[in-house]
Amino acid sequence: LLTQQSLQESERKYRGTFFNAAVGMARMALDGSWLDVNDRFCEILGYDREELVGKTVQDLTHPDDFEREWKLMTDVASGVRDTYDIDKRYLRRDGTPVWGHLTVSTARSDGGDALYYVCVVEDISERKEVEQKLQALNTSLETRVAERTAELTALNQELDAFNYSVSHDLRAPLRAIDGFSQAMEEDYGPQLDKGARHYLGRIRNGATRMSDMIEALLRMSRLTRGELHLEEVDLSAMANELLANLQQEEPERQLVATVADGLQAVGLRVMGDSRLLRVVMANLLENAWKFTRQREETRIEVGSAHDPESGEQSIIVRDNGAGFDPKYADRLFVPFQRLHSAGEFDGQGIGLATVQRVVHRHNGQIWAQSQEDAGATFYFTIKATPGRQ
């Protein structure tokens, strides 16, 4: 009697759990027909309980998903596996598909024979809708990236054609202008008055300056294209070498150089393309050397600085030179935008533009702080990582 009561109590609890579960639950015969279903299962599929009982798993499964599930059902029934769970599409009463996450196991006799399947179904339609939207978005993004890559390839090809045109089509007439001007000056110079000789000199100077600007643009284009070859670069060692070269060229100048040790200072050993980073350091140090020329003592510092807000480490190049008005700082990195006249300081106005492009290729940023006649400090970051160019 006690055993009978226990069985009845167990059955009552089971049925209470079965019918009131928040997920779909069902018992399915080994031939795939439904023996019993709960309310949530009916709600997911849009059927009444009486309509579902007796139908088969094939009746309610999307044709594209049935063969896979039948193989799994057979494996569970034969004991090859204990359970399985899959995402599958059911067919609702109105024929529309609904996504469910299905977990299936078997109830077995004391002898281990499979009696029926126990199925638990969770409606995952919303999740699948989000996944499909994400997949569509990813496909769209991949398409846009492919299109953008094709556009960039076409632009690079156009740039190559432009560079070729600049190299050949523009240089030839400039050489002709300079050559004929020189010939006129040499052959007819004595017959020309002072004003005419002055104009010829200006023509030759203009042609030379134009040729130099073309060469600077081509050099910048070549430097900032192509593949990055990443390696560990000691910027302090590079700075010491470059400063020594500058001092050797003008040994009469008084230089006080302070270069942090790359083995001890944080941030001065970076991953980057050493050839391009040498261009960065050379331009910044040559600028510092140039704009301190009027000082009795040239002071140049190379080190690193920590930004407490962003947590980033930046490399700095500081000098005690002429400086610049900070309101014009946005013009620093624009090609041919000079903050000082050519009469004060020579140059093409292309060096800092080249530096910025190289830094950007290394996923970094560059900026400067200064005041007129109070020196300048340039800051830049290098964040190059393999696969990003």
Side-chain angles (χ1 to χ4, degrees), residues 169 192 308 327 339 376:
D169 299 341
L192 300 175
K327 69 181 180 181
L339 302 189

Side-chain angles (χ1 to χ4, degrees), residues 88-114:
K88 60 171 284 187
R89 287 163 292 180
Y90 288 95
L91 296 177
R92 291 174 57 85
R93 183 177 184 179
D94 59 7
T96 59
V98 57
W99 277 99
H101 179 74
L102 170 66
T103 302
V104 176
S105 58
T106 56
R108 297 184 178 274
S109 66
D110 293 339
D113 296 327

